[in-house]
Amino acid sequence: MQLEIAIVQFKPTLFDIKGNLQKAINIIHEIITSSNPKVILFPELFLSGYTFKDRKELDAVSFPISIQDGKNESLAPLIDISKKMSIGISGGYSEKDGDLFYNSSFFIGDGQIIANYRKTHLFHDENDYFQPGDTGFQVFEYNNVKFGMMICFDWIFPESARTLALMGSEVILHPANLVLPFCQRAMYARAIENRVFIATANRVGKEVNGKYENSFTGGSQIVSPRGEYILTMNEDGEYFSSVKIDPTEADDKNITEKSNLFKARREEFYR
Amino acid sequence: MQLEIAIVQFKPTLFDIKGNLQKAINIIHEIITSSNPKVILFPELFLSGYTFKDRKELDAVSFPISIQDGKNESLAPLIDISKKMSIGISGGYSEKDGDLFYNSSFFIGDGQIIANYRKTHLFHDENDYFQPGDTGFQVFEYNNVKFGMMICFDWIFPESARTLALMGSEVILHPANLVLPFCQRAMYARAIENRVFIATANRVGKEVNGKYENSFTGGSQIVSPRGEYILTMNEDGEYFSSVKIDPTEADDKNITEKSNLFKARREEFYR
């Protein structure tokens, strides 16, 4: 089976949720003009930007989501194009739930909100205004492919990708706003140890908000279950690109015919 | 605090346990002539070689060990030099326990057998003649440094190094007979995600025994908690080399001042 998956390396304008959404729509039109991906992945918080001073600033760019009714005013243009083109669109946003905010990612498939994940492991200043995610890791099916979601800093905890893989993920969607230099190189291990595809859509650019400042490391990539970097982007610059993968490659956990990475686990000895 | 640690990239002669032991002793003498390491690490099964046809062959090069009395005829020359030089010596051997065999590693410190670990995750053909280890991962103290042990294929299970790190390991001793090409590169992630030192002593050469054949990948290395490859060896050739590290660097699990990799774990969401 074949899945064409696109990742977008993106630089949002801080606070400009409408402008960023329009830019994303324009990029999707460009992508589907030049290629035929079934899934398009944007970075973490690609609609709002990342560098907030406080919860008040965050409030202005946050919105609630409902999987139940599958509708969402803020995401309506993405839902529309997803329905019209029969594609999946995923990316990160700031989710508002009552008075609380989560660093979340959505998956919209064929016009429906199929999944919503709240980031489990918050990074650094995010702890000051986001709540730690309470959804846990989730796996969902779209187009007969099992997808899992993790967000940015979740990567450094081996338990994140491990949990998603044990739950059956064939392709892990990993929107990111990486500022540390480690992840891109380390995902080699994540892909091999779990024998899954991992797509990391990272943002680029420098973002300044008063005394707060972040520089993002780009290098968006897709790594195969054999540790091949089948798609890589530069550290700087906005790009989109797609690649065809066979997600069922991730179903074979045998690293040799006598060594199955999942059956050989010995949970009784793990902390 | 400072620890000088040496790793030995070694090619044993299959079945020649006495010859391999003498060669190891000669290497130790060479090492302590040219440097001053407190711990010297040899590869997995460095006394016997690796490529066995059956349990009968294995039996001829296996021996029991006892931590209680701290004595061992087979390891006596290593115990003696460890005592004489006040050093620690670690490496892999085939352990006999009644009718059963384990792929084990010992740690001898200042003339005493301080630790013995039985490989948790057997690789490929090892399943045909070794028992899966029943000791679990262990951490022990020597020279005020907390050491953990894992053996070769244990590396690919993120739970191995994770468990050792959560148990307090500052330095993971990783004797190996690697035949797959993944480990050396992937240990970058292991070191960073756990913020520990990992010393991998791998063997080299090609070993043929009837229809069985293995080629080993060398590339012995030590990686720091920041993912720096502070010691690396070639894919081929026998070498020894040592490096000075500060094991207490591994006690700081803060990757930023607000993000502690161990405190931020959320076990309730892990499988």
Side-chain angles (χ1 to χ4, degrees), chain A residues 93-137:
Chain A
Y93 72 106
S94 176
E95 180 183 0
K96 185 171 183 175
D97 184 1
D99 292 335
L100 304 177
F101 303 96
Y102 295 93
N103 184 340
S104 297
S105 63
F106 61 77
F107 189 96
I108 300 166
D110 301 354
Q112 297 292 321
I113 300 172
I114 292 177
N116 186 54
Y117 164 68
R118 293 172 169 177
K119 187 176 185 178
T120 302
H121 306 94
L122 298 174
F123 176 69
H124 198 60
D125 286 340
E126 293 168 39
N127 291 288
D128 297 342
Y129 33 81
F130 286 117
Q131 300 301 115
D134 56 3
T135 55
F137 299 102

Side-chain angles (χ1 to χ4, degrees), chain A residues 120-121 124-125 128 133 156-157 159 162-163 182 190 192-193 256 258-259 261 265-266 270-271, chain B residues 120-121 124-125 128 133 156-157 159 162-163 182 190 192-193 256 258-259 261 264-266 270-271:
Chain A
T120 302
H121 306 94
H124 198 60
D125 286 340
D128 297 342
I156 205 170
F157 301 84
E159 295 89 353
R162 189 58 143 190
T163 298
F182 307 119
R190 288 284 171 277
I192 285 175
E193 71 206 28
T256 79
K258 292 184 182 179
S259 287
L261 292 190
R265 293 178 73 239
R266 302 192 66 201
Y270 303 158
R271 281 227 180 156
Chain B
T120 301
H121 306 94
H124 198 59
D125 286 339
D128 297 341
I156 205 169
F157 300 85
E159 295 88 352
R162 190 58 144 190
T163 298
F182 305 120
R190 288 284 171 277
I192 284 174
E193 71 205 29
T256 78
K258 291 184 182 181
S259 286
L261 292 189
R265 292 179 73 239
R266 302 191 66 200
Y270 303 157
R271 281 225 181 160

Side-chain angles (χ1 to χ4, degrees), chain A:
Chain A
M1 96 167 291
Q2 209 172 54
L3 173 81
E4 185 169 343
I5 178 168
I7 54 176
V8 182
Q9 185 158 297
F10 192 85
K11 183 185 175 181
T13 302
L14 187 62
F15 303 133
D16 183 12
I17 196 160
K18 283 187 184 167
N20 294 327
L21 185 59
Q22 187 54 54
K23 182 173 163 181
I25 295 288
N26 294 346
I27 290 173
I28 293 170
H29 279 292
E30 276 194 79
I31 293 175
I32 58 183
T33 302
S34 59
S35 57
N36 195 26
K38 189 67 185 171
V39 170
I40 301 173
L41 178 65
F42 286 87
E44 179 185 16
L45 292 172
F46 76 108
L47 294 173
S48 60
Y50 181 84
T51 311
F52 301 103
K53 280 187 209 140
D54 51 40
R55 289 158 61 94
K56 194 176 162 194
E57 284 189 351
L58 192 60
D59 195 19
V61 292
S62 301
F63 54 85
I65 208 167
S66 167
I67 299 190
Q68 282 68 40
D69 65 14
K71 288 173 187 162
N72 189 290
E73 210 178 308
S74 306
L75 297 175
L78 293 171
I79 292 171
D80 289 348
I81 197 169
S82 156
K83 185 173 186 179
K84 190 174 162 202
M85 302 306 300
S86 294
I87 57 173
I89 301 170
S90 184
Y93 72 106
S94 176
E95 180 183 0
K96 185 171 183 175
D97 184 1
D99 292 335
L100 304 177
F101 303 96
Y102 295 93
N103 184 340
S104 297
S105 63
F106 61 77
F107 189 96
I108 300 166
D110 301 354
Q112 297 292 321
I113 300 172
I114 292 177
N116 186 54
Y117 164 68
R118 293 172 169 177
K119 187 176 185 178
T120 302
H121 306 94
L122 298 174
F123 176 69
H124 198 60
D125 286 340
E126 293 168 39
N127 291 288
D128 297 342
Y129 33 81
F130 286 117
Q131 300 301 115
D134 56 3
T135 55
F137 299 102
Q138 298 160 52
V139 176
F140 59 93
E141 206 165 309
Y142 172 68
N143 193 45
N144 296 313
V145 178
K146 294 193 191 76
F147 291 94
M149 293 201 287
M150 63 182 187
I151 301 176
C152 204
F153 192 53
D154 282 331
W155 79 265
I156 205 170
F157 301 84
E159 295 89 353
S160 303
R162 189 58 143 190
T163 298
L164 287 167
L166 288 171
M167 291 174 75
S169 297
E170 295 166 317
V171 180
I172 293 177
L173 302 175
H174 182 218
N177 275 198
L178 294 160
V179 295
L180 297 179
F182 307 119
C183 172
Q184 291 88 338
R185 187 174 167 190
M187 297 310 267
Y188 175 77
R190 288 284 171 277
I192 285 175
E193 71 206 28
N194 294 300
R195 291 179 75 82
V196 291
F197 291 93
I198 306 179
T200 300
N202 194 22
R203 65 160 289 184
V204 286
K206 185 173 170 177
E207 205 171 61
V208 180
N209 183 5
K211 65 173 183 172
Y212 296 92
E213 186 178 313
N214 285 297
S215 290
F216 303 94
T217 60
S220 300
Q221 62 186 29
I222 300 180
V223 189
S224 83
R226 291 181 303 283
E228 299 152 327
Y229 282 66
I230 54 180
L231 197 165
T232 55
M233 294 181 180
N234 289 342
E235 290 174 21
D236 265 317
E238 295 185 281
Y239 307 95
F240 60 83
S241 186
S242 69
V243 67
K244 289 174 186 159
I245 63 172
D246 178 357
T248 63
E249 281 180 29
D251 300 340
D252 175 13
K253 304 302 182 190
N254 275 17
I255 198 156
T256 79
E257 66 269 30
K258 292 184 182 179
S259 287
N260 182 292
L261 292 190
F262 278 17
K263 289 182 188 157
R265 293 178 73 239
R266 302 192 66 201
E267 291 186 46
E268 66 272 35
F269 294 121
Y270 303 158
R271 281 227 180 156

Side-chain angles (χ1 to χ4, degrees), chain B residues 98-218:
Chain B
D99 292 335
L100 305 177
F101 303 95
Y102 294 92
N103 185 339
S104 297
S105 63
F106 61 77
F107 189 97
I108 299 166
D110 301 354
Q112 296 292 320
I113 299 172
I114 292 178
N116 185 55
Y117 164 69
R118 294 172 167 177
K119 189 175 184 178
T120 301
H121 306 94
L122 297 174
F123 177 69
H124 198 59
D125 286 339
E126 292 169 38
N127 291 287
D128 297 341
Y129 31 82
F130 286 116
Q131 300 301 115
D134 56 3
T135 55
F137 299 101
Q138 299 160 50
V139 176
F140 60 92
E141 206 164 310
Y142 172 68
N143 193 44
N144 295 315
V145 177
K146 295 195 191 74
F147 292 94
M149 294 203 285
M150 62 183 187
I151 301 177
C152 203
F153 193 51
D154 283 330
W155 79 266
I156 205 169
F157 300 85
E159 295 88 352
S160 304
R162 190 58 144 190
T163 298
L164 287 168
L166 288 171
M167 291 173 75
S169 296
E170 295 166 317
V171 181
I172 293 178
L173 302 175
H174 181 219
N177 274 199
L178 294 160
V179 295
L180 297 178
F182 305 120
C183 172
Q184 290 88 339
R185 187 173 167 191
M187 297 309 267
Y188 175 76
R190 288 284 171 277
I192 284 174
E193 71 205 29
N194 294 301
R195 292 178 76 81
V196 290
F197 290 93
I198 306 180
T200 300
N202 194 22
R203 66 161 285 184
V204 286
K206 186 174 170 177
E207 205 171 61
V208 180
N209 183 5
K211 66 172 183 172
Y212 296 91
E213 187 178 312
N214 285 297
S215 291
F216 303 94
T217 60

